């Protein structure tokens, strides 16, 4: 079964409604700018690279459906649908710069992401021991990128290369991308895995022979600080405490060299009802205050390396990341 | 509204069904040994001190309802209803030793717990700064002890003593005792508080001015290693990383001097469906493997102090904890 999360559908942008997984694999089509924005904002489409591709197709759709005078504002709405992942703004800007070849450029971004994912998985293979537990957080597989995935793509590739990996999957509250999506993708790929609550990752590191932690990212600052799904920072601290190397895997489109450190990364805060309730089942008292950051920033000193399509960047990241970005820019598929 | 979780009901043991909170405050009565065991095993009654008191009343009920030849085996079933919290075995043993005055001893244990909770809160007051965030995990309030609570009792007492505390409440997956019970009790007590997912505690420590972390315990080994609800260990590591003092508050009945370290504490593993689903709403794929330890052990070197009714024990715990246990044994209410 294809887990391609987004595609060009001729008269709209097709996507898997990831809110319904794993109960249902529902394919839908966004046929207006508003539907594109809503799919991103509600996490029907999520994963930093995937929302970049989806946003790029969304701009192509907007160019087809709106008058030139309304086009720029509509593209800006897509660009702002979620703030933390820089891939969305990056992809929208890139498609706009390719005017009038919007669709061709969106397809080029999609193809470049697929190529990046393969290169990232190749570069990460050396990080995997012959056998051992692997901790991960949130979802970074095919559903998140439109390719093979970033961190989860590395894990699946290591499994296919014969490494005896056993994945400990954080369920990833509040929206449970780990339980709903990563568990689903690992089962599709046949990779041995066990689901845990986020609070059990530290115990699993102590008790279950975890040798490696690897996660994705939504934005990486110049110094290597990496924003990713809330709970990543806690996982990185626990890895440090247990002497387990903690890696980030992300395409260079996730690296934002304009930002000196993670304190400059905008962190989306979502509604408290995501914590107070769960898939429509109420948990906490109604109206009880909740703090719901969608992401956190993992400081570079907790990150053993950042795997991109240009290889593994190591500290000092101010030197290694710009090299990666330049290398990727050269190697990426670009439209004529 | 009283939040007394357990009481003697004449012909049975009354309890609040904590699985229904906060949606409903439902009072029930266990009228047989089997119903006592089931209420403990399903977490209708939970919290280490509260299940000790409930088990003690359960033995008194069993003595009234069963023949002498069936009594010992039935009491043993109550004693084994959950393995990690030592309070249950401690209370059952104590009631059995008081034969035939079972009910009187159970009432004495209940009264001693109320007195202990007040002493613990008094001892902990010095740990609270004039203002600041306080992190906690799971539920350790009145519902957990039959008194004012342990860690949450300390927090509520500090609030009443004029400390400007703001509590960051871990929701505490998988059974959400933080979201369902601690949030409920904090609202009843009028303490400012914010609910977070467990994975956000590290970010809250970095971003929200948390000055203190305080939790309860289900069993404390002689060296100070403390078993508590899964996720506590991760919280302690995050506190260490941020230089935030991490305290445990528990009555001396939680201290098990027979165990040299936390590796000897039996950790209950519960069914994977608690993680795969959530209040009857399915999350992960059915049958996906899940690792569901109900507790973890926080090593003593992550614990700044252990607050008991005998004061604050500090490292080396091998020396301070036996002093606390002896002191508490002398001061506790005992039946004639």
């Amino acid at each position: 079964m294809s887990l391609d999360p987004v595609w060009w559908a001729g008269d709209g942008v097709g996507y898997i409604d990831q809110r319904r997984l794993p109960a249902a694999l529902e394919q839908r089509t966004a046929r207006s700018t508003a539907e594109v924005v809503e799919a991103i904002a509600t996490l029907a489409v999520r994963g930093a690279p995937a929302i970049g591709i989806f946003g790029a197709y969304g701009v192509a759709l907007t160019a087809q459906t709106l008058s030139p005078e309304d086009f720029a504002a509509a593209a800006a709405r897509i660009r702002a649908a979620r703030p933390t992942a820089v891939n969305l703004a990056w992809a929208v800007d890139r498609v706009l710069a390719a005017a009038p070849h919007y669709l061709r450029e969106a397809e080029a971004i999609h193809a470049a992401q697929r190529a990046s994912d393969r290169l990232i998985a190749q570069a990460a293979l050396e990080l995997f021991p012959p056998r051992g537990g692997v901790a991960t957080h949130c979802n970074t597989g095919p559903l998140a990128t439109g390719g093979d995935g970033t961190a989860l793509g590395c894990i699946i590739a290591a499994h296919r290369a014969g490494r005896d990996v056993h994945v400990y999957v954080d369920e990833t509250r509040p929206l449970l991308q780990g339980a709903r999506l990563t568990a689903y993708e690992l089962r599709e790929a046949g990779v041995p895995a066990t689901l845990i609550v986020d609070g059990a990752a530290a115990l699993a590191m102590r008790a279950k022979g975890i040798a490696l932690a690897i996660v994705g990212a939504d934005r990486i600052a110049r110094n290597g600080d990496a924003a990713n799904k809330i709970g990543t920072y806690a996982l990185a601290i626990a890895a440090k405490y247990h002497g387990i190397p903690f890696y980030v895997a992300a395409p260079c489109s996730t690296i934002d060299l304009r930002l000196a450190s993670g304190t400059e990364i905008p962190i989306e805060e979502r509604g408290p009802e995501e914590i107070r309730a769960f898939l429509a089942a109420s948990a906490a008292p109604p109206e009880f205050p909740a703090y719901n950051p969608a992401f956190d920033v993992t400081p570079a000193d907790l990150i053993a390396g950042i795997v991109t399509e240009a290889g593994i960047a190591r500290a000092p990241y101010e030197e290694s990341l710009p090299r990666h970005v330049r290398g990727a820019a050269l190697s990426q598929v670009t439209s004529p």
Side-chain angles (χ1 to χ4, degrees), chain A:
Chain A
M1 172 179 1
S2 165
L3 290 178
D4 221 353
V6 299
W7 59 92
W8 179 248
D11 63 340
V13 193
Y15 63 96
I16 293 174
D17 186 345
Q18 299 190 34
R19 297 168 299 186
R20 302 289 317 281
L21 284 170
L25 184 67
E26 186 175 308
Q27 300 189 327
R28 302 184 63 172
T29 303
R31 291 201 168 78
S32 68
T33 307
E35 289 177 9
V36 168
V37 169
E38 203 209 338
I40 296 172
T42 61
L43 276 64
V45 176
R46 33 65 53 201
I51 64 175
I53 297 163
F54 188 70
Y57 284 131
V59 172
L61 173 69
T62 301
Q64 289 187 3
T65 53
L66 286 193
S67 62
E69 52 267 32
D70 294 332
F71 173 68
R77 283 200 298 279
I78 294 173
R79 192 182 189 279
R82 291 190 78 195
T84 301
V86 73
N87 313 61
L88 178 58
W90 171 89
V92 168
D93 290 346
R94 192 168 141 168
V95 170
L96 291 175
H101 306 292
Y102 304 113
L103 180 58
R104 196 193 296 174
E105 187 69 8
E107 287 169 339
I109 290 172
H110 198 165
Q113 181 63 40
R114 290 196 183 102
S116 286
D117 284 0
R118 285 191 293 271
L119 293 169
I120 289 169
Q122 284 170 20
L125 190 59
E126 68 177 74
L127 306 177
F128 287 80
R131 65 180 47 77
V134 177
T136 193
H137 192 73
C138 200
N139 173 260
T140 56
L143 288 164
T145 72
D148 293 337
T150 55
L152 192 56
C154 297
I155 292 169
I156 293 171
H159 165 77
R160 290 184 177 148
R163 306 301 164 88
D164 185 8
V165 301
H166 189 106
V167 189
Y168 286 87
V169 184
D170 283 357
E171 63 170 4
T172 315
R173 277 280 285 158
L175 295 179
L176 296 164
Q177 291 91 338
R180 294 190 300 108
L181 308 178
T182 300
Y184 179 82
E185 291 185 326
L186 285 167
R187 199 174 57 173
E188 292 286 314
V191 182
T194 300
L195 182 65
I196 55 175
V197 296
D198 303 334
L203 174 60
M205 287 178 177
R206 193 177 182 95
K208 294 290 183 183
I210 290 177
L212 172 68
I214 187 164
V215 301
D218 289 77
R219 193 182 306 213
I220 301 171
R222 192 164 69 236
N223 73 337
D225 290 355
N228 192 45
K229 181 56 54 194
I230 187 70
T232 303
Y233 176 43
L235 189 73
I237 293 171
K240 181 84 158 187
Y241 183 75
H242 293 93
I244 294 168
F246 179 89
Y247 283 89
V248 170
C252 285
S253 55
T254 304
I255 301 170
D256 190 345
L257 294 176
R258 299 166 305 174
L259 305 188
S261 79
T263 58
E264 298 175 31
I265 299 176
I267 298 296
E268 177 184 14
E269 283 197 30
R270 299 180 59 83
E273 71 283 354
E274 287 182 354
I275 301 180
R276 289 198 298 248
F278 173 105
L279 304 180
S282 178
E287 307 302 320
F288 195 87
Y291 167 50
N292 190 13
F295 303 92
D296 56 22
V297 174
T298 298
D301 64 3
L302 292 172
I303 301 173
I306 298 175
V307 187
T308 76
E309 65 270 39
I312 304 176
R314 306 272 183 183
Y317 293 108
E318 285 88 345
E319 295 171 18
S320 58
L321 290 180
R323 278 201 308 272
H324 276 239
V325 171
R326 281 195 302 274
L330 289 174
S331 68
Q332 269 181 18
V333 179
T334 51
S335 67

